[in-house]
Each structure stands twice: as structure tokens, then as C-alpha cells.
Amino acid sequence: MIRLGGRTDPPLDRIRTQTRWYMKNSKDPLGQDALIAEASRWFAALDAGTARRDEFEAWRSRDPAHAVAYARIVGNWENIAAGAPIQREAPARVSRRQWLKAAAVGLPVAILGSGLLADRAYAWENATTGVGETKRVALPDGNVVHLNTDTSLSWRFGDGEHALRLNRGEVALDMKRGSATVLHVNDASFPLTPGLFDARITSRQAELTLVDGTPMHLPGAEPRLTLHPNDAVIVDSGRPPRIETRSSERVASLVAWRAGEIVFLDQSVADAAADFNRYLSRKIVVRNADLAREKMGGRFDLNRPDQFLKAVSLSFNARVVSTETGYELTR
């Protein structure tokens, strides 16, 4: 037996046993293993916040059998969550984690109940941007989120819960209403106060900066930490959060992307190029180590990498070489 979260749940082979029982005894007229597995995967992806709702709706409306299969998935899961018996001959009910795991690997999950499509099946809504794109999203509580380039944000509102989850990229959070919204970034959770925030995930860490607004206490921090305007809380994997106080100029540069600009303040050419590359499909590569270490500053349009390349070329006697995949800076 496997114990998850204080409960004892059957191992995965019990799910397979239940599945075989269903496929042998089910009177379901659809009788399509692949359709059942596909509906299960959609349910798992929607719950995890990794599916796009428009793509799901397109799949569901393409064939009435899709809608029926998904409605049965939802109805059966609601019965499981409520502790209702599935069927007298069926094995013991499975845990939610095992249900989703079975769907993820393509097992035809036992669909033994029926039910209507419930709104809460959309556990997480999601918005994304591609490279070079930005997007404004109005949340159900009236607050507004701006997504920067190559960003994924999920949210879930209901039953007293207002939750946001930054999956990748960067967002500006304009929290004007006191709705007790909680932001989840990597393994950290922050109850947001009214104000303007910038949240960003990089390859090394996650950052939450209070640009302007009400000071925010960080829960669970020892000693107790409070985020003030121009403060950023840094979260590294496996380390306690820490606060950095930044200059007004640096904080202003952090949100310059909302005006279509990128600002560098005494950054190395390598770091500046890496930051600009977040917005570019054709990347900038710095070939020389000495050039990469040079310090630079400036304000550039996000859709004009040529401005940046020209500035580096003139300031540091560098050559710009155009390639099939982007640009090279060299000496």
C-alpha cells in the first residue's frame, strides 16, 4: 500500500485491475479505449493548468462522444472526491494523484459513473504569451495582470480561494482590490497586498518585487520579513527567502517592458544580451569573453535589437555579424 498525505491508497496496479474490470464489464456504448484515455488526459491537463481552454473546447465540441466521455470523467471524479461508492464489484476507489497519473501515462481510466460537466472541472484557468508577446489579463476579482514575453500564468478563483501560479516568465500584478490573492511561485507562496508587483522566474531563482503599494509580510519567514516598496524577495531552491532593497531606478527599469522598452543599468554585455534575448526569436550571441564582461547602460525599444547591437558596436569596438539564427557580437 502507498500512503499519500496521511491516507492509504491502492498502488498503480490496482488501477490497472480496476481498468481491466471496467473494460470487461462496462456497457458503455462508446467502447473506445483511446477516447476514454484522451478525455482523461484533458481532465488531468486542465486540473494542472497546462491545457489551453480554447483547445479543450475545440476538442470537446468536435464530436458529441468527446463531450460525453469528458462529462463522465468529471462525474466519476466528483463521486470519488465525495467518497461515494463507484460500483459494488469495482476495486477500492483510487486517489486523485493516482487517477491523474493513470491518465497521464495513457491508461484507460475506469469510467463507472455519470454526471454533468461541472465548472469546477476547470480547476485552473491559464494565459500564455509567446516570445516577443505581451498580454493584459483581467482576473475574475477585478485585478489586472500583465504577462511579459514567453510567460505562463494560471489562476483559480472560487470557494474563498484566490490563487495565482506563475509557471514561467514574468508578470506585473496590479492588485487594486483587497481580495486576499495568493501568488505561488516555484515552492513559495505570497499573500499579496494592494499594490503593483513584478514577479519573475529565471533559471536560477524566482523574484517578487513590490514596485509600489502596501508593505507585505512574508508568511513563515524566520526572522519575520516585510516587503516594502523597492524591495524584492528572492527565492532560491532549498534556501530560505531573502530580501534585497533596490534603487528606484532599478525598480523602474524592471517594469519598463510594459512601455515597450528595455533598460540596462551598468550591466555586463553578456547579461544585457541574455535579457534582450527573452524577447527575440533571433538570438544575440556574444563571442568574446572580454566583450561579454564590458559594462553598459541604455534604454532601447524591445522591437529594435538593432539599436542595442549598434550601441555595443560603437561603445566597445565590436563587430556585428548576422547569421541564420540571429546575431553575433565579436571583436
Side-chain angles (χ1 to χ4, degrees):
M1 304 293 278
I2 301 174
R3 184 170 295 276
L4 298 173
R7 296 185 311 174
T8 301
D9 294 307
L12 189 57
D13 58 359
R14 293 280 294 278
I15 298 177
R16 297 191 179 99
T17 300
Q18 186 174 5
T19 299
R20 286 194 294 268
W21 179 94
Y22 164 71
M23 297 311 300
K24 179 179 180 181
N25 295 281
S26 174
K27 304 301 182 183
D28 181 359
L30 294 176
Q32 299 179 15
D33 297 5
L35 178 59
I36 293 171
E38 188 175 13
S40 302
R41 286 192 291 270
W42 274 115
F43 179 81
L46 286 165
D47 184 74
T50 58
R52 291 182 54 178
R53 185 166 178 172
D54 57 342
E55 293 179 353
F56 164 72
E57 291 292 356
W59 171 83
R60 190 166 69 97
S61 61
R62 191 176 306 134
D63 190 323
H66 294 178
V68 171
Y70 188 77
R72 288 180 174 174
I73 287 280
V74 174
N76 195 60
W77 173 244
E78 289 176 345
N79 287 338
I80 292 174
I86 299 177
Q87 183 134 342
R88 183 174 58 85
E89 298 91 342
R93 62 191 177 94
V94 298
S95 72
R96 181 172 184 272
R97 181 176 297 179
Q98 290 165 327
W99 179 285
L100 297 182
K101 183 176 181 181
V105 299
L107 292 177
V109 182
I111 311 302
L112 303 172
S114 62
L116 299 176
L117 181 64
D119 287 341
R120 64 179 175 274
Y122 301 114
W124 290 89
E125 297 284 349
N126 181 260
T128 61
T129 55
V131 173
E133 296 179 336
T134 60
K135 182 181 294 184
R136 179 185 184 276
V137 176
L139 297 174
D141 63 353
N143 289 311
V144 176
V145 178
H146 298 265
L147 280 68
N148 200 359
T149 177
D150 193 19
T151 293
S152 172
L153 177 76
S154 302
W155 62 90
R156 178 165 60 189
F157 286 67
D159 297 329
E161 179 188 32
H162 290 196
L164 305 175
R165 185 175 67 203
L166 181 58
N167 306 305
R168 72 171 187 273
E170 181 178 17
V171 293
L173 305 158
D174 195 357
M175 312 301 293
K176 294 181 178 179
R177 302 172 185 268
S179 57
T181 300
V182 177
L183 173 67
H184 303 280
V185 184
N186 290 351
D187 295 329
S189 299
F190 304 106
L192 300 177
T193 53
L196 177 62
F197 296 85
D198 185 275
R200 179 178 177 182
I201 295 176
T202 69
S203 59
R204 300 184 298 271
Q205 61 193 24
E207 302 178 6
L208 176 66
T209 302
L210 177 55
V211 179
D212 187 32
T214 306
M216 186 185 83
H217 298 298
L218 302 180
E222 293 294 341
R224 186 174 183 179
L225 300 178
T226 301
L227 206 63
H228 296 275
N230 291 348
D231 284 347
V233 56
I234 313 299
V235 180
D236 296 314
S237 179
R239 299 177 57 186
R242 67 185 189 277
I243 287 181
E244 291 183 1
T245 300
R246 295 171 172 174
S247 68
S248 298
E249 292 78 10
R250 184 177 177 187
V251 172
S253 71
L254 192 65
V255 293
W257 58 269
R258 289 185 57 183
E261 298 178 329
I262 188 169
V263 177
F264 303 118
L265 300 173
D266 195 32
Q267 292 179 238
S268 69
V269 171
D271 287 344
D275 209 14
F276 218 136
N277 280 340
R278 296 167 57 210
Y279 303 88
L280 304 176
S281 56
R282 303 187 67 211
K283 307 299 184 183
I284 300 171
V285 178
V286 184
R287 287 299 183 191
N288 296 93
D290 58 342
L291 177 60
R293 289 190 293 267
E294 297 280 8
K295 297 292 186 178
M296 66 169 296
R299 180 184 298 268
F300 307 95
D301 293 339
L302 285 174
N303 60 353
R304 294 288 306 276
D306 58 300
Q307 295 177 344
F308 172 79
L309 295 169
K310 184 177 181 180
V312 174
S313 176
L314 294 176
S315 299
F316 306 110
N317 192 30
R319 290 188 299 112
V320 179
V321 179
S322 181
T323 68
E324 290 183 359
T325 59
Y327 312 92
E328 290 185 357
L329 285 169
T330 186
R331 278 176 167 168

